[in-house]
């Protein structure tokens, strides 16, 4: 979606125009914009704090100016869990006459989205983050869609929205699977609430409010446990003016590779990830290689206290095993898939949210 969008609006920019991207983002959101440097635009980077991975608003203020035409950033870091104050950032970006593209992939699993309240020009994520098919979702303000150059066949008119941005025909199988997303939230709402809501959006909002509180409590337990352990460094998780944090926690342990920590937990069928998670620039800024990177723990709606208990016990046992000569190895059948940029989940169940 982002590459298609960048190609569709590249004619908006002239040599010398400035595009701002962050050092914190998943490469899928910023890589396409960075490539526009080949057309003569200037790419300016909103850099992270090398100790925490956080972005400072004052640094954005210093980058914005009369030549700024577009800003691309994440709503929430997929590594360090910081949720950004997008309405405030949109106000600043629009004040200089620029447009704002926000990547919601790491935000969408944990919080409800209201693009009108955010006042973004473009907002993208993958539908699997809403427990649906692996299908890209892109919101654009209508006036921008009309100005964008079509990416479809020559006979698809420039006013044929949204077909003009598809690189051909839509994927009907995955599109049909989107119906299941609505079914999922309808079922959750019926299970957790007695009174009806006025709309599907209202149901999604209150389900996400319930989920966010559930996930926060579990993530806070993990965060507190890790910070209390000697040699452990937790990255990010510093509330911005938005105030929220996602339940993704990135950490390293002094003297231990992230790969070894993950493999120790995999031996107990606790699926965590290690590496850079395609936020390669952010992890490099923190001082780590892509091959080892950081360990990332993620909490979702289907997790409960027993999952956290297993994780914390595994981390504790792993530390002891390392001190005594190395991690316990799992059989090939038992070990979950692990890759430098992959991640998994330890268990799966329909829902662990508390009944309201």
């Amino acid at each position: 979606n982002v590459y298609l969008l960048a190609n569709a609006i590249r004619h908006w920019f002239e040599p010398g125009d400035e595009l701002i991207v962050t050092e914190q983002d998943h490469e899928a959101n910023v890589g396409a914009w960075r490539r526009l440097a080949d057309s003569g635009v200037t790419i300016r980077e909103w850099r992270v704090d090398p100790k925490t991975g956080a972005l400072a608003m004052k640094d954005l203020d210093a980058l914005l100016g009369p030549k700024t035409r577009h800003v691309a950033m994440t709503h929430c870091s997929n590594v360090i869990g910081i949720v950004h104050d997008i309405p405030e950032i949109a106000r600043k970006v629009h004040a200089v006459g620029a447009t704002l593209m926000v990547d919601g992939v790491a935000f969408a699993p944990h919080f409800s989205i209201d693009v009108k309240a955010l006042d973004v020009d473009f907002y993208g994520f993958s539908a699997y983050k809403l427990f649906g098919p692996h299908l890209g979702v892109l919101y654009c303000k209508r006036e921008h869609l009309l100005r964008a150059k079509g990416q479809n066949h020559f006979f698809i008119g420039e006013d044929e929205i949204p077909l003009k941005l598809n690189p051909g025909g839509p994927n009907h199988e995955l599109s049909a699977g989107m119906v299941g997303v609505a079914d999922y939230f309808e079922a959750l709402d019926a299970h957790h609430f007695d009174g009806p809501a006025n709309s599907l959006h209202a149901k999604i909002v209150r389900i996400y409010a319930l989920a966010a509180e559930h996930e926060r409590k579990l993530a806070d337990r993990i965060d507190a446990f890790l910070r209390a352990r000697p040699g452990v460094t937790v990255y990010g998780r510093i509330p911005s003016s938005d105030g929220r944090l996602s339940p993704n926690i990135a950490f390293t342990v002094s003297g231990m590779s992230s790969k070894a920590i993950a493999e120790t937990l995999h031996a107990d069928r606790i699926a965590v990830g290690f590496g850079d998670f395609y936020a390669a620039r952010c992890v490099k800024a923190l001082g780590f290689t892509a091959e080892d990177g950081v360990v990332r723990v993620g909490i979702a709606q289907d997790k409960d206290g027993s999952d956290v208990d297993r994780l914390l016990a595994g981390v504790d046992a792993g530390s002891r095993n390392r001190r005594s000569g190395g991690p316990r190895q799992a059989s090939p059948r038992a070990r979950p898939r692990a890759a430098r940029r992959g991640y998994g989940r330890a268990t799966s169940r329909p829902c662990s949210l508390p009944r309201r």
Side-chain angles (χ1 to χ4, degrees):
N1 275 342
V2 181
Y3 278 99
L4 285 169
L5 178 63
N7 283 326
I9 69 172
R10 65 187 304 156
H11 65 283
W12 294 4
F13 311 124
E14 299 178 353
D17 286 347
E18 295 180 354
L19 277 60
I20 297 173
V21 297
T22 87
E23 193 178 27
Q24 191 186 80
D25 274 68
H26 190 293
E27 192 65 18
N29 187 42
V30 297
W33 306 111
R34 288 176 181 272
R35 291 188 182 188
L36 294 186
D38 295 339
S39 302
V41 301
T42 299
I43 304 300
R44 305 196 70 188
E45 187 173 61
W46 186 2
R47 294 186 174 178
V48 300
D49 181 314
K51 293 183 178 179
T52 65
L55 296 169
M57 197 74 84
K58 63 180 177 61
D59 293 336
L60 174 63
D61 292 337
L63 292 171
L64 290 169
K67 293 184 178 181
T68 306
R69 297 292 179 264
H70 184 69
V71 177
M73 67 173 299
T74 185
H75 198 161
C76 171
S77 168
N78 70 318
V79 174
I80 59 173
I82 296 174
V83 177
H84 301 295
D85 188 348
I86 297 301
E88 175 61 14
I89 292 170
R91 185 190 65 77
K92 291 175 178 286
V93 171
H94 293 156
V96 298
T99 52
L100 176 63
M101 166 71 199
V102 175
D103 173 12
V105 166
F107 183 87
H110 309 294
F111 308 100
S112 61
I113 300 166
D114 186 338
V115 291
K116 296 297 181 66
L118 296 173
D119 195 24
V120 290
D121 299 283
F122 310 99
Y123 195 98
F125 61 91
S126 297
Y128 78 91
K129 296 294 184 174
L130 297 180
F131 319 106
H134 205 296
L135 185 69
V137 177
L138 177 65
Y139 161 82
C140 308
K141 287 184 176 179
R142 183 175 178 81
E143 61 265 32
H144 300 325
L145 280 173
L146 291 171
R147 289 178 58 209
K149 185 174 178 58
Q151 302 296 297
N152 209 323
H153 303 306
F154 75 92
F155 50 79
I156 303 296
E158 293 296 331
D159 61 346
E160 294 190 52
I161 299 171
L163 287 177
K164 64 181 289 185
L165 288 190
N166 278 344
N171 185 305
H172 299 290
E173 298 89 342
L174 295 183
S175 297
M178 288 295 293
V179 175
V181 176
D183 292 342
Y184 174 73
F185 283 101
E186 291 273 9
L188 279 183
D189 189 80
H191 177 76
H192 290 287
F193 297 95
D194 295 324
N198 291 331
S199 66
L200 176 61
H201 182 259
K203 293 176 182 179
I204 290 173
V205 167
R206 67 185 188 180
I207 281 295
Y208 266 113
L210 185 63
E213 180 61 16
H214 171 70
E215 293 171 352
R216 182 193 63 77
K217 291 177 180 177
L218 298 180
D220 284 352
R221 277 191 61 199
I222 299 169
D223 186 284
F225 174 87
L226 292 172
R227 291 182 189 276
R229 297 187 67 80
V232 174
T233 301
V234 176
Y235 298 93
R237 294 191 61 76
I238 302 168
S240 72
S241 51
D242 178 276
R244 291 174 292 182
L245 296 170
S246 85
N248 290 329
I249 301 172
F251 69 96
T252 57
V253 180
S254 178
M256 297 177 66
S257 77
S258 296
K259 182 176 185 289
I261 296 167
E263 289 179 344
T264 297
L265 294 171
H266 294 169
D268 287 323
R269 298 193 61 78
I270 301 169
V272 300
F274 70 94
D276 65 12
F277 307 96
Y278 287 95
R281 302 172 198 272
C282 179
V283 170
K284 182 179 179 180
L286 291 172
F288 302 105
T289 64
E291 289 70 25
D292 197 52
V294 298
V295 181
R296 186 182 68 175
V297 176
I299 296 296
Q301 294 178 10
D302 63 342
K303 299 297 171 281
D304 64 17
S306 66
D307 294 309
V308 174
D309 292 341
R310 289 181 59 223
L311 171 67
L312 302 189
V315 172
D316 185 60
S319 298
R320 293 197 302 271
N321 287 338
R322 289 292 292 175
R323 288 194 295 269
S324 63
R328 177 165 56 87
Q329 296 295 311
S331 68
R333 179 180 296 274
R335 188 182 296 123
R337 290 182 63 192
R340 100 178 217 212
R341 291 186 168 121
Y343 66 95
R345 290 177 177 169
T347 62
S348 179
R349 58 178 69 89
C351 184
S352 296
L353 306 185
R355 179 81 164 91
R356 289 293 293 269

